[in-house]
Amino acid sequence: MKWNKFTIETTTQAEDFVSAMLNDLGIEGIEIEDNIPLTEEEQKGMFIDFPPELPEDDGTSRVSFYLEEQEDAKEILRKVMLGLEEQRQFVDVGAGTISSSQTEDVDWINNWKKFFQSFYIDDILIKPTWEALKEEDKDKFLIEIDPGVSFGTGKHETTQLCIRQLRKYLKKGDRVLDVGCGSGILSIVAMKLGASHVVGTDLDENCMTSTYENMEVNHLPKEMGEFYVGNLIDDVALQEKVGTEVYDIVVANILADVIIPMAPVIPARLKKGGVFITSGIIDFKENEVKEAIEKAGLTVLEINHQGEWVNITAQKN
């Protein structure tokens, strides 16, 4: 299916008014482009290490919307132009011009799958659920994953660093806490390595669905895992749910700027002698994260690098 894309040249001051007007006309799926810098709070909420470099904010904004090819674009555009003229009375809408282009209906959710193919992390085979298992791989240590809309195929260096450390430190019967579980790949690896029970947390409720679905694909009983939505850093109720001094291993593959404020709550989750495995740390933040972990009372056992990413493994004495 082809879609007609219409873009209104307006101002950042008016973009919310224009969006509301389009919504009132029954137009959904609005796209806004501007050069307003992200605030510190927005950057924290997005968990990004590198804020996008934008041109200087010149006060302009582009508000786009899409109509199906067969829709009566002429009548809708007439109403949009009238709406813009009405808004000129109380807000600067800028040029208010509308340009158009045509786009194909792309299946973004599934098209990326061609880039995710089976691969090995040492002797562990990570296979997407939609790919057939080769005959020669049928006796391999297998993890099947469908990330869905969650993070985690296992290909990223940070995930591989964590998997190798789980392989090294996890003992049969261990209890594991997976902070920022994403697609559940680390939880599933832990279960297949012999963990008796895994608890996971994530800010995104979609991750709960992905994790349970991936457990089912890997023939793991649902009872082996409990997964909660929430922020372990400051959610006291969540901290109580996951428990105190009950985990042999806590694994967190997140980002340096999350690990640092989270470090103080990790020791309380670990048993004495328990191990904290973490990654998602860009190399120039290694010392900052290491200091936060040590300040929390944990002893660093080892630091590993893969590309520009770092794993820090520490222990509760």
Side-chain angles (χ1 to χ4, degrees):
M1 180 189 299
K2 289 184 178 179
W3 295 76
N4 292 315
K5 178 182 180 180
F6 299 94
T7 300
I8 303 168
E9 299 293 331
T10 184
T11 65
T12 52
Q13 180 186 359
E15 62 187 19
D16 288 341
F17 295 93
V18 173
S19 300
M21 179 265 290
L22 294 173
N23 188 64
D24 288 343
L25 292 175
I27 296 170
E28 299 177 350
I30 297 164
E31 177 183 294
I32 297 176
E33 299 173 84
D34 58 38
N35 295 329
I36 298 175
L38 295 172
T39 65
E40 285 188 16
E41 285 301 310
E42 287 171 332
Q43 290 179 33
K44 288 178 183 176
M46 293 173 70
F47 292 164
I48 55 176
D49 265 331
F50 305 105
E53 292 185 10
L54 299 174
E56 185 177 349
D57 178 23
D58 59 2
T60 62
S61 176
R62 293 155 297 285
V63 180
S64 300
F65 60 95
Y66 297 83
L67 299 177
E68 291 184 27
E69 198 173 30
Q70 65 267 30
E71 288 186 81
D72 186 1
K74 186 175 180 180
E75 176 60 18
I76 293 172
L77 289 175
R78 185 184 71 82
K79 292 179 180 178
V80 170
M81 291 300 296
L82 285 174
L84 289 171
E85 290 307 310
E86 287 178 9
Q87 291 188 344
R88 285 189 189 278
Q89 300 173 34
F90 53 88
V91 67
D92 177 13
V93 299
T97 56
I98 304 176
S99 59
S100 65
S101 59
Q102 200 172 63
T103 181
E104 296 287 345
D105 183 16
V106 180
D107 186 1
W108 298 109
I109 295 295
N110 290 304
N111 277 10
W112 69 272
K113 290 182 176 180
K114 61 188 176 185
F115 301 107
F116 177 26
Q117 300 173 336
S118 295
F119 66 100
Y120 278 95
I121 302 175
D122 299 331
D123 63 338
I124 298 175
L125 175 62
I126 309 290
K127 184 185 80 66
T129 55
W130 55 87
E131 187 178 293
L133 182 64
K134 297 175 183 176
E135 189 65 34
E136 62 267 28
D137 290 331
K138 289 190 174 178
D139 60 344
K140 299 294 191 297
F141 188 123
L142 175 66
I143 305 290
E144 293 193 87
I145 289 291
D146 183 351
V149 294
S150 302
F151 172 81
T153 64
K155 278 208 163 184
H156 198 277
E157 291 93 333
T158 62
T159 313
Q160 295 183 27
L161 284 162
C162 286
I163 288 175
R164 289 191 176 99
Q165 294 303 93
L166 283 171
R167 191 71 186 263
K168 182 173 182 178
Y169 287 96
L170 191 146
K171 305 180 299 296
K172 190 171 182 180
D174 278 355
R175 293 178 63 87
V176 176
L177 173 62
D178 181 4
V179 185
C181 58
S183 65
I185 184 168
L186 295 179
S187 295
I188 289 165
V189 168
M191 292 176 197
K192 288 214 162 187
L193 287 172
S196 60
H197 194 76
V198 176
V199 173
T201 69
D202 203 286
L203 298 179
D204 186 353
E205 62 182 16
N206 289 318
C207 294
M208 309 299 107
T209 304
S210 294
T211 299
Y212 279 122
E213 287 177 350
N214 283 320
M215 283 178 64
E216 185 176 355
V217 166
N218 285 277
H219 312 292
L220 295 166
K222 193 173 181 180
E223 299 73 32
M224 284 188 73
E226 299 172 59
F227 299 92
Y228 304 107
V229 178
N231 189 338
L232 196 67
I233 295 171
D234 54 13
D235 188 336
V236 176
L238 179 61
Q239 292 171 9
E240 291 176 353
K241 271 183 186 177
V242 302
T244 301
E245 295 191 338
V246 293
Y247 298 100
D248 301 280
I249 290 179
V250 174
V251 60
N253 182 27
I254 315 180
L255 283 175
D257 288 340
V258 182
I259 298 165
I260 291 166
M262 187 175 67
V265 306
I266 296 300
R269 316 277 76 82
L270 285 166
K271 297 177 181 178
K272 288 181 181 178
V275 173
F276 180 41
I277 297 169
T278 188
S279 192
I281 307 161
I282 194 70
D283 51 15
F284 61 80
K285 292 196 175 182
E286 175 184 326
N287 289 334
E288 196 177 347
V289 176
K290 178 176 177 287
E291 288 170 6
I293 289 172
E294 290 176 332
K295 188 177 179 180
L298 300 177
T299 300
V300 172
L301 298 176
E302 58 179 293
I303 296 175
N304 300 288
H305 300 82
Q306 187 171 339
E308 59 188 354
W309 298 98
V310 182
N311 148 254
I312 297 178
T313 300
Q315 187 171 41
K316 179 177 178 179
N317 294 322

